[in-house]
């Protein structure tokens, strides 16, 4: 099985920073969320006049520019479906140009009417900066990132960055009304979980190292370490579930330290530890669906829970929720891995190339 080279990004732009007033100047080739959607829509309509948006997100890169500080990024993925059919297409955009077009078949997910997207990424970012002091992310990603999804029938635009205390933060807006829906901060050593919904704010799990948080339709899960020290947050790992927005918690049983967790469309909880992935986690355990000899390095999952992970130079992926797994090798070092609802793999290499692997190859 081989990856196909889709495009090589040829131009690299420098970040221009005015040290006096810290003004960041974006490259002319960076675009906002709505601009990316417009570019994707034009191509999608050529493919099928009934094409409708289902998701959009910025993609991490090291190409310079504003790093999202102006609400713009170089690279974006947009996904479209044809309502009433299984037709689906993923469109990749880099520097205002379409660099990936992959049409396929998949089970339909929720769509986002174009006219419902009133709020753009630069507007959401400004609100996040003004109200929460949101800053650019470091280490886990370069700068600010943006996602657009349909959640419970509403278009939700999320801005991702760090708060004033350098805590990983997600600020979510209703893209139709402009209202702030939620703000979740991940509090590290000595902290806890800070959750804001409209005007309500709750701080729980004080003194614990909360390393991750994920929300399902009616559930909230957090994980981390109960007794963190200055040098370690893996001494007493835990993962807990709440059915009432964090008022009460129930501890779940997982073998080892939790690296990542997520819910599928049926609200089943999946958990990745250092070398394993478990499905259907409850207070009475779950089902192990993957066990590797070396640590999991990167992980991605689609809206219908196709899963891909990397470990020791190989990509392991499943298109049936973990019943069986395939593996392939990426020919070049890469920093971004994504898997589509159809099971296609897309990676962004360190050199700026986008490579694709289809399940039929």
């Amino acid at each position: 099985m081989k990856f196909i080279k889709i495009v090589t990004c040829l131009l690299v732009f420098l970040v221009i920073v005015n040290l006096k007033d810290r003004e960041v100047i974006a490259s002319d080739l960076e675009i906002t969320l709505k601009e990316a959607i417009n570019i994707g829509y034009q191509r999608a309509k050529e493919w099928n006049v009934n094409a409708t948006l289902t998701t959009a997100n910025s993609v991490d890169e090291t190409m310079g520019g504003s790093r999202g500080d102006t609400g713009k990024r170089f690279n974006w993925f947009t996904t479209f479906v044809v309502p009433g059919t299984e037709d689906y297409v993923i469109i990749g955009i880099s520097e205002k140009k379409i660099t990936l077009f992959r049409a396929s078949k998949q089970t339909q997910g929720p769509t986002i009417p174009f006219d419902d997207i009133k709020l753009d990424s630069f507007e959401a970012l400004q609100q996040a900066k003004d109200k929460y002091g949101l800053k650019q992310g470091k280490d886990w990603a370069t700068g600010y990132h943006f996602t657009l999804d349909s959640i419970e029938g509403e278009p939700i635009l999320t801005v991702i960055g760090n708060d004033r205390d350098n805590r990983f933060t997600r600020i979510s807006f209703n893209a139709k009304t402009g209202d702030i829906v939620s703000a979740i901060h991940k509090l590290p050593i000595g902290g806890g979980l800070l959750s804001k919904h409209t005007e309500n704010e709750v701080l729980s799990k004080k003194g614990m190292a909360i390393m991750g948080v994920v929300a399902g339709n009616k559930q909230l899960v957090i994980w981390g370490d109960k007794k963190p020290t200055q040098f370690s947050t893996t001494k007493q790992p835990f993962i807990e579930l709440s059915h009432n927005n964090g008022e009460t918690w129930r501890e779940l049983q997982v073998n080892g330290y939790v690296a990542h967790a997520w819910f599928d469309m049926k609200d089943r909880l999946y958990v990745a530890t250092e070398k394993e992935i478990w499905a259907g986690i409850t207070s009475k355990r779950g089902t192990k669906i993957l066990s590797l000899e070396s640590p999991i390095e990167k992980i991605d999952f689609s809206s219908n829970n196709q899963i891909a992970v990397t470990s020791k130079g190989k990509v392991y992926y499943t298109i049936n929720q973990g019943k069986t797994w395939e593996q392939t090798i990426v020919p070049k070092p890469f920093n971004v891995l994504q898997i589509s609802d159809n099971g296609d793999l897309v990676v962004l290499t360190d050199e700026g190339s986008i490579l694709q692997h289809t399940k039929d190859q």
Side-chain angles (χ1 to χ4, degrees):
M1 297 182 177
K2 298 181 179 179
F3 276 81
I4 300 174
K5 183 175 182 181
I6 303 297
V7 65
T8 301
C9 301
L10 299 177
L11 303 178
V12 178
F13 291 84
L14 299 176
V15 180
I16 303 175
V17 181
N18 184 324
L19 296 178
K20 183 176 180 180
D21 57 14
R22 298 187 180 182
E23 177 184 3
V24 178
I25 302 177
S27 163
D28 289 339
L29 295 181
E30 291 180 295
I31 54 178
T32 68
L33 171 71
K34 289 184 69 173
E35 289 172 334
I37 292 171
N38 277 324
I39 293 173
Y41 247 120
Q42 292 177 21
R43 180 64 182 90
K45 291 294 186 181
E46 293 175 3
W47 166 67
N48 190 302
V49 293
N50 296 316
T52 304
L53 181 71
T54 181
T55 63
N57 63 273
S58 59
V59 181
D60 204 32
E61 33 72 18
T62 55
M63 298 165 63
S66 70
R67 294 284 196 270
D69 191 61
T70 56
K72 300 180 178 183
R73 300 289 312 207
F74 284 110
N75 295 344
W76 298 83
F77 279 142
T78 56
T79 306
F80 298 86
V81 298
V82 179
T85 75
E86 293 185 344
D87 293 337
Y88 155 94
V89 65
I90 180 171
I91 298 176
I93 301 162
S94 181
E95 298 178 329
K96 296 184 178 180
K97 296 181 180 179
I98 293 175
T99 54
L100 172 68
F101 182 90
R102 178 66 185 176
S104 191
K105 302 283 186 180
Q106 71 162 35
T107 303
Q108 288 256 337
T111 60
I112 304 173
F114 181 76
D115 290 341
D116 282 358
I117 311 170
K118 308 295 185 183
L119 190 69
D120 204 351
S121 51
F122 73 92
E123 298 167 313
L125 175 61
Q126 191 59 54
Q127 289 191 52
K129 286 180 177 180
D130 293 343
K131 186 162 186 177
Y132 297 100
L134 195 69
K135 301 189 297 183
Q136 291 184 324
K138 295 181 180 179
D139 299 325
W140 54 269
T142 58
Y144 297 103
H145 276 285
F146 312 93
T147 67
L148 180 68
D149 300 278
S150 177
I151 300 177
E152 297 182 352
E154 297 293 336
I156 304 300
L157 194 169
T158 299
V159 183
I160 303 169
N162 286 352
D163 68 5
R164 296 180 180 93
D165 298 315
N166 290 319
R167 304 175 299 197
F168 175 88
T169 301
R170 298 168 58 93
I171 313 295
S172 295
F173 300 81
N174 185 315
K176 185 176 182 179
T177 65
D179 296 334
I180 295 176
V181 176
S182 68
I184 294 179
H185 306 244
K186 184 174 70 176
L187 307 191
I189 299 172
L193 179 68
L194 178 63
S195 179
K196 296 185 180 181
H197 298 274
T198 62
E199 297 303 322
N200 298 320
E201 179 175 314
V202 178
L203 179 62
S204 58
K205 303 298 178 185
K206 294 180 180 180
M208 294 184 178
I210 307 297
M211 305 309 294
V213 56
V214 63
N217 290 330
K218 298 180 180 180
Q219 304 178 91
L220 184 66
V221 166
I222 60 172
W223 63 92
D225 191 87
K226 290 182 178 180
K227 299 291 184 180
T229 67
Q230 181 177 356
F231 303 103
S232 176
T233 56
T234 60
K235 294 293 184 182
Q236 294 187 31
F238 76 93
I239 179 169
E240 295 185 4
L241 173 71
S242 174
H243 290 287
N244 51 18
N245 292 321
E247 292 181 15
T248 59
W249 296 88
R250 185 174 74 248
E251 189 163 0
L252 305 178
Q253 301 300 315
V254 175
N255 183 26
Y257 183 77
V258 176
H260 200 75
W262 68 96
F263 290 98
D264 66 10
M265 296 180 69
K266 296 181 179 180
D267 231 23
R268 287 208 315 163
L269 177 62
Y270 285 72
V271 169
T273 60
E274 182 184 17
K275 299 179 182 180
E276 299 174 344
I277 296 180
W278 293 75
I281 297 294
T282 67
S283 57
K284 297 181 179 180
R285 200 70 165 173
T287 302
K288 183 165 60 177
I289 60 174
L290 179 67
S291 180
L292 301 175
E293 293 182 357
S294 300
I296 294 172
E297 298 160 355
K298 294 181 176 66
I299 186 167
D300 188 56
F301 48 89
S302 64
S303 62
N304 63 348
N305 209 38
Q306 319 286 30
I307 308 169
V309 303
T310 62
S311 178
K312 207 171 182 178
K314 294 182 179 179
V315 177
Y316 301 84
Y317 63 98
T318 176
I319 57 174
N320 53 21
Q321 290 74 53
K323 294 179 182 178
T324 59
W325 292 80
E326 304 288 339
Q327 63 176 283
T328 187
I329 297 176
V330 182
K332 296 181 179 180
F334 63 97
N335 53 41
V336 176
L337 167 71
Q338 290 195 346
I339 185 168
S340 73
D341 283 357
N342 197 47
D344 296 339
L345 299 172
V346 178
V347 300
L348 179 64
T349 70
D350 292 347
E351 299 173 351
S353 301
I354 296 177
L355 307 180
Q356 183 182 23
H357 168 78
T358 65
K359 64 180 183 180
D360 299 324
Q361 291 178 310

